[in-house]
Amino acid sequence: MATTPLALSPQVDHPVYVIGAGPGGLAVAAALRGRGVRAVVLEKSDAVGASWRAHYDRLRLHTTRRLSALPGLKIPRSFGRWVARADVVRYLEKYAEKHELEIVTGVEVFRVERSGSDWVLHATGGRRLVGRAVVVATGYNHTPRLPEWPGLDAYASGGAGAGALLHARDYRNPEPYAGKDVLVVGIGNTGAEIAADLAEGGAERVRLAVRTVPHIVRRTTAGWPAQRNGILVRRLPTGLVDRLGALIARVGMPDLSEYGLPRPDTGLASRTREGAIPVQDVGLIDAVRAGKVEIVAAVEAFEDGDVILTDGTRIAPDVVIAATGYRRALEPLVGHLDVLDGRGRPVVHGARCPREAPGLYFTGFTNPISGMLRELAIDAEKIARRIAR
């Protein structure tokens, strides 16, 4: 792997700069190299796959090995059908090495500006890099997000009686929480899996605070992965997918209403279009039915060391783990270019450039039910074809 810490100077040939050495950035760089286009990957950390290195130990891909490979390299069969976090990192390292990618580590890009037909990147150490095109691949899970709960600052600072508070990004495994009362906030895939991990790992009590009931799906049904359903229905009308999803849920999923998880009143596809993908069950359902994970109301505020829930309940857990998502944090980088929507997401992605910014591409800023890595691979080829043309 051709990584170079803090050793980059402007190039006369004006390469394509790829910002971020995660799966999306590596895939684009490999696809460009395969078309004879020089691509330089800029990574602010000291290695590829930085976000994957930071995820919790239990994590496995929710998509199958065969449908998660990046262009030009299969994921080894020895990694199993559901690839573990550590093996994803190993795969990304091998991917960069196989494709002989030009990766510069330890360089953070702070701002991107248009200069005639070129792009100027302002980076670590006062660098001013000029490229013919820029691909932004800084990641969907970039900056941890915490809601602006009343009393949060005082609670987080460890006021009298307050428990510990951390974002899910800082959770690794259940060992430090054995024998403790833990509140997990948020029932996306991360929150659901951490809650199940804690329940299996010896936490004395695990509560899961839920604001919006999610769609929960089986990872596989009779060997058929949920990801393939996502691929098959992705381009069908929303209403039809909502009805199909409701039918599959009634047939294949238990009714958890008595445990505080009624069936959602919004269809699966409708919810996905709003940005909320289904939760794949990797132990949550059994933990809830066994009483090992208790479903409670959403968090309303923090007060006098207690957590106040929206139903008025006051609880005092030893630890609060906020699985409350991430921000894309693109505003400092490209916010001045009028290429983001009101939620801070790129107005276009893949091989399309914003009208105001020709030569600027985004990849990895959607979370499709057909699989993130699969869509990154498809986008990489499209972006490379467009740039090479």
Side-chain angles (χ1 to χ4, degrees):
M1 180 171 59
T3 60
T4 309
L6 296 173
L8 184 68
S9 58
Q11 299 294 326
V12 176
D13 60 348
H14 292 181
V16 174
Y17 282 109
V18 180
I19 306 174
L26 298 180
V28 170
L32 285 168
R33 193 177 190 281
R35 288 169 172 77
V37 178
R38 183 181 176 216
V40 178
V41 182
L42 305 175
E43 169 57 47
K44 70 177 182 179
S45 72
D46 60 359
V48 303
S51 64
W52 278 95
R53 295 175 189 274
H55 286 315
Y56 49 94
D57 297 343
R58 173 192 173 111
L59 179 65
R60 290 180 176 269
L61 286 180
H62 292 160
T63 53
T64 66
R65 180 190 74 253
R66 293 183 63 184
L67 294 175
S68 301
L70 302 180
L73 183 66
K74 294 181 179 180
I75 299 176
R77 181 185 295 271
S78 61
F79 287 179
R81 192 180 197 190
W82 310 103
V83 184
R85 177 199 63 82
D87 287 333
V88 173
V89 173
R90 290 169 56 195
Y91 171 71
L92 295 178
E93 292 173 340
K94 182 65 177 178
Y95 189 84
E97 180 181 347
K98 178 186 183 299
H99 291 289
E100 299 180 340
L101 302 183
E102 190 173 349
I103 303 171
V104 184
T105 58
V107 172
E108 181 175 4
V109 179
F110 301 107
R111 186 178 175 91
V112 175
E113 294 178 340
R114 186 76 173 165
S115 177
S117 60
D118 292 323
W119 287 93
V120 176
L121 291 73
H122 300 274
T124 302
R127 291 173 175 79
R128 184 178 181 275
L129 310 171
V130 180
R132 55 183 284 198
V134 175
V135 182
V136 180
T138 49
Y140 190 84
N141 295 335
H142 187 275
T143 302
R145 183 186 71 85
L146 284 174
E148 296 181 354
W149 290 304
L152 175 63
D153 290 343
Y155 189 92
S157 65
L165 185 145
L166 66 149
H167 190 272
R169 189 177 201 174
D170 299 315
Y171 175 86
R172 292 293 174 271
N173 57 64
E175 184 176 344
Y177 311 100
K180 294 185 180 295
D181 180 346
V182 185
L183 172 68
V184 180
V185 184
I187 193 174
N189 276 293
T190 298
E193 190 156 354
I194 288 176
D197 198 31
L198 289 164
E200 296 170 9
E204 180 180 2
R205 185 176 190 181
V206 181
R207 285 175 281 200
L208 181 56
V210 177
R211 183 173 299 277
T212 303
V213 177
H215 287 271
I216 303 176
V217 299
R218 300 287 189 190
R219 187 163 65 175
T220 59
T221 302
W224 180 264
Q227 181 189 7
R228 289 199 178 274
N229 289 336
I231 294 171
L232 290 173
V233 307
R234 191 174 181 203
R235 307 209 180 274
L236 293 179
T238 299
L240 176 59
V241 179
D242 283 348
R243 291 192 292 274
L244 288 172
L247 176 61
I248 292 172
R250 284 197 298 272
V251 172
M253 298 297 297
D255 184 355
L256 300 176
S257 299
E258 64 179 292
Y259 301 101
L261 285 176
R263 299 193 189 278
D265 55 10
T266 305
L268 186 150
S270 297
R271 187 73 64 80
T272 301
R273 291 185 183 280
E274 297 170 358
I277 64 171
V279 171
Q280 288 199 13
D281 176 43
V282 288
L284 179 66
I285 291 177
D286 288 344
V288 168
R289 296 173 81 179
K292 295 180 178 180
V293 172
E294 305 168 44
I295 304 300
V296 298
V299 171
E300 179 74 18
F302 294 84
E303 184 179 275
D304 298 331
D306 290 343
V307 181
I308 304 175
L309 307 181
T310 53
D311 61 2
T313 305
R314 299 177 72 103
I315 61 177
D318 299 317
V319 182
V320 177
I321 300 175
T324 47
Y326 296 80
R327 295 185 294 108
R328 313 294 86 81
L330 291 168
E331 289 81 1
L333 186 68
V334 297
H336 57 287
L337 298 173
D338 194 27
V339 296
L340 304 178
D341 65 17
R343 297 171 64 181
R345 303 172 302 182
V347 293
V348 296
H349 69 279
R352 297 173 58 199
C353 297
R355 181 178 301 176
E356 303 81 0
L360 180 65
Y361 301 86
F362 296 89
T363 184
F365 295 99
T366 61
N367 198 8
I369 59 174
S370 50
M372 172 73 83
L373 292 181
R374 177 181 181 274
E375 297 302 323
L376 287 176
I378 294 172
D379 275 355
E381 297 286 6
K382 291 180 178 178
I383 292 170
R385 282 198 299 267
R386 176 74 177 271
I387 292 176
R389 192 170 64 216

